[in-house]
Amino acid sequence: MEFRLLGTVSIAAEAGELPLGPAKRRSVLAVLLLRANAVVPVDRLIDAVWEEDPPARARTVVQGHVSRLRALFEQGGAEDYGVELATHTQAYELRMPDQLLDTYRFDELVQLAGHQKHPADAVMMLREALALWRGPALTGTVASEQLLVAAQALEETRLDTVEQLAAAYGRLGEHVKAAALLRAESAANPLRESLAAALMLSLYRAGHQSDALDCYHRTRTMLADELGVDPGPALRAAYEAVLRGLPHSTPAPGPGPAGLAPGGPGGPRPTGPTGPYGSEPPRAHHEGHAGHLDPSGHSRFSAHSGHLSEFGSGAAGHPSAHPSAPVAFLPGTPSPAPGHGHGHGHGSDASTAPPGTPADGAARPAPAALSLPAPDLLPRTPRGFLGRERELAALDTAVDAARVALVTGPAGVGKTAFALHWAHLRADRYPDGVLYADLRGFGPADGDGVDAADVLREFLTALGVPPRQLPESATAAEALYRTLTEERALLVVLDNVRATESARPLLPAGPRCAAVVTSRLRLGGLVVSELARPVPLGVLGLDESAALLAAAVGADRIGAEPDAARRLAELCDGLPLALRVTAAQLAARPHWRLTDLAAELADEQRRLALLSVDESAGADGQGVAAALRVTVQGLPEEAARLFARIGDVPGPDLDRHAAAALLDRTPAVAAEALDRLCDAHLLTEYAPGRHTLHDLVRLYARSLEADAEALPRLLDHYTLTAMAATRAAEPDDQPCCTVPDGTRLSRTTVHFAGRDAALLWYAAERDNLAAAVTAARAAGLHDRAWRLAVLPWPYILWNSHDGWAPLLEDGVDSAARLDDPDAESRARALLGWVLTQENRLPEALVHLRLAPELAARAGERSSEATALVNLAVALDHDGVGEESLAHTARAAELVRDSGDVMTELLALEHRSRQLLAVGDPAGALACAGRGLALDGDTVNGLVGVRQSMLKATAGSALLELGRTEEAEATLVRARELALSHGYQESVRRVDAELARIREGR
């Protein structure tokens, strides 16, 4: 709830602005607010509500308005905010917290702005203060003398603040901004000399001397015409300064809020009537809001605004101008330096007095500073902390280099223990104390986090600020905190921070201070805005994990079963939280062997349950699952959806395209979700664009609500992308399969720039494709399984000895289950070829003799031809025979003039080599020539390889026929083609033939 006087008089509640009604009711409210927490006689209310003589029933009317205000307060829930409209004898009192009133917050910001060391801080606070104004003060009230005077007094405070803001801009060197601000206000208040004087100086410093002089002459003429007076001392002084060529640089800031020496260019402040309520001076403390009406144009502050009565006052009924800064007199803080006091007077004498000297010239001693012990808010040293020497050294380096270190890592990795351990080790480097706060950014419920403003109040209290002096405004509190930490050597530890915005206002300002922030998120904003140095904290190694277990359950017990201890460390993923829970399990069961617990943890269905502690008695529980649950709760929607589906990923990692398939979103959306999961340390980007997760995280993801369509979408993504990769790798080949029925046409398919990109994708995704085949078979999706097994054939041909047989055997089985003879033929043909390369001929022939028959039954001539060639290659292992010659002849005939260039080249290349081997060089040359005539000098993918082999065979045949020169030229071309495709087997073969030619010369 907010009560507003700076603009239209109004009340803002949670549901919106309350309907105050007529001007008289707003006037009653305005008078009560102007004297909040003070008794206001009914007669004073009557005087404010009626411009002229009030009617006989005026008292009854006022009572009616008060009654209606009470109803509105109840409607807006005012009681929850501590607001009460009390009745006294012939009087009323509006009891309320000061901070609910906009004039209070305005005063507080202005007062604190005057004590900032940095002009930028003062500008920020003054702008925030002026932003509270939504129009002329007390708008919507009756134009009674009482309220008009009050409104004028408030306007004086606003104009004074505008001048202070312009002066602060000037101290920053932003004279153009200062001039723009002052020009607008001077136009609205042309007879206010202090505005004109300040505008003149700002214009001059901005390089507009003629405009500055024009401003003076215009103001002088208006003063003469309107008031019949000459310019005052301040305006004349500004004029003379511009004429003399005042230095363009801004003078050093003076002690006052405006940054100008009293009596300088700002001139004496205008004075007005003694107050809106006659000669009665405003009251202090609960009546502190009457201070808004100080006729001098300066705000008057109660003790609630952080300025105590010991700061003194001026003449009776007149507060002292610009009370001293509370910061200088806080317990445990240094006193002001000599010659830099805070108070000064209003009169012309004050302009000649040194800063900090009263107007009467008498020296005023600074109050003695009280001494408090340096604060130490650190929790106790964590027990059982071991290792992390490298990370501790990294944290030392980060703090020394950047002053703000950001310790990040996954849930349960031990960030808090690590930070506390380091802080206790290094606390003696910070003689002014150590501050600590757990911001609980990752509590069990979304609303469990601690507000940074609450932490800031605790820090200010620890630094010696009395509770009654704590600023209500967050901006003011942050400024005070910066001031208090500027000269100190403090360490600040901020634990469990979820957002950069929570940490930033709590970071100390001084160059001798340091801050350590811990978070499960990477907090890139803190790195960018505060140049924080990240210190990533990873899981423990096996030796450190075993040492942690030994510290908890005893070295003897660990030493008796070292292999089991290492297995426990592996099953806990090296996560300290999991290891501590495991140690608790062992400590509670001294009769258990480590091997027994390792066997229990090996069961993936029970592992997370075993790595949790008792959740009885209403506790949310501790353990790996509980920690991960809290992390996941704080994720953005898309990231949370992706995490819940990552448990469905069968392979070891994924990229943004696979993630997009899981989400059924675009890769760009998926990339953002992956980044958020990496920020939360639920995923690790171990290589550019490749993401993986720890086993415990994977198990937790699998426990979440599943999406039945996520795995089929992922399989379709892999299938369609593998088909695209095959087209890119071998654009001249016929597709080995069609898109399976029911495939979701994926927007996640990768598009490849060429053969190399496609082969690299096969290499990166090999394990994922193999896992996808297994997952597809388990889900009964055999139409996807066999395709995913055979689609990598371009990569398999170049890496035939990499153990492809198990994958292809699964593909054969899935194809057989579908009763799809073409699919089975293709799978068996590829498997048979791989087994041939592995020299497992009997097994290879089993598949290769079945493959041509299956293809023939399916009516697929290309598949039959490929299977026959692969069978011939296997049969030729011990020498070319009639059977294999018949197979290649049949294969070449099946695809003659079919348009399947790749398969025809395959058949002719093998047949030409067979003919050469059996002593028919003329037949070999003719066969090779037929193949070379198919596609000219095409060098795409395997076409180029086949052509290099055909040319090599043709060269060998020409050599056998005695046509040496033709043979040499053909062999040189064959060698060039082989080299361009990296086909070393053909290079070696050609080199041998060329050597024969050289030897024969």
Side-chain angles (χ1 to χ4, degrees), residues 633-648:
Q633 284 174 351
L635 292 173
E637 180 181 358
E638 291 292 357
R641 287 182 63 245
L642 177 58
F643 182 76
R645 287 155 180 75
I646 279 182
D648 294 320

Side-chain angles (χ1 to χ4, degrees), residues 64 112 119 241 304 346 352 371 398 418 466 481 512 540 625 738 769 779:
L112 283 167
H304 279 301
H346 276 297
T352 61
S371 178
F418 172 74
Y481 179 64
R512 295 188 298 147
L540 299 176
T738 58
L769 294 175

Side-chain angles (χ1 to χ4, degrees), residues 250-483:
T250 305
L260 299 170
R269 304 299 182 193
T271 59
T274 56
Y277 302 110
S279 60
E280 177 186 351
R283 304 185 188 182
H285 191 38
H286 287 301
E287 294 183 32
H289 287 295
H292 297 235
L293 312 178
D294 177 5
S296 70
H298 294 286
S299 306
R300 179 166 186 166
F301 299 86
S302 69
H304 279 301
S305 64
H307 303 279
L308 305 180
S309 59
E310 68 210 45
F311 298 141
S313 59
H318 229 310
S320 63
H322 305 301
S324 302
V327 174
F329 304 103
L330 290 174
T333 62
S335 300
H340 291 282
H342 298 274
H344 60 74
H346 276 297
S348 58
D349 292 341
S351 64
T352 61
T357 303
D360 58 8
R364 182 180 297 159
L370 302 178
S371 178
L372 289 179
D376 184 1
L377 303 185
L378 275 183
R380 63 172 175 78
T381 305
R383 296 194 181 102
F385 185 90
L386 297 170
R388 300 284 196 192
E389 284 81 8
R390 186 181 62 182
E391 290 89 345
L392 288 168
L395 184 50
D396 281 334
T397 301
V399 168
D400 291 342
R403 294 199 308 110
V404 180
L406 176 59
V407 178
T408 62
V413 82
K415 299 179 293 297
T416 297
F418 172 74
L420 290 177
H421 180 76
W422 180 90
H424 280 282
L425 289 177
R426 303 292 183 260
D428 58 349
R429 295 183 181 179
Y430 304 95
D432 291 324
V434 183
L435 303 177
Y436 170 87
D438 181 357
L439 273 72
R440 301 177 189 170
F442 306 94
D446 290 341
D448 283 353
V450 177
D451 192 337
D454 295 334
V455 175
L456 193 56
R457 282 191 285 272
E458 291 182 9
F459 281 5
L460 290 174
T461 301
L463 292 172
V465 180
R468 292 175 64 85
Q469 293 190 41
L470 292 174
E472 292 292 341
S473 162
T475 302
E478 291 169 20
L480 179 56
Y481 179 64
R482 285 194 296 271
T483 300

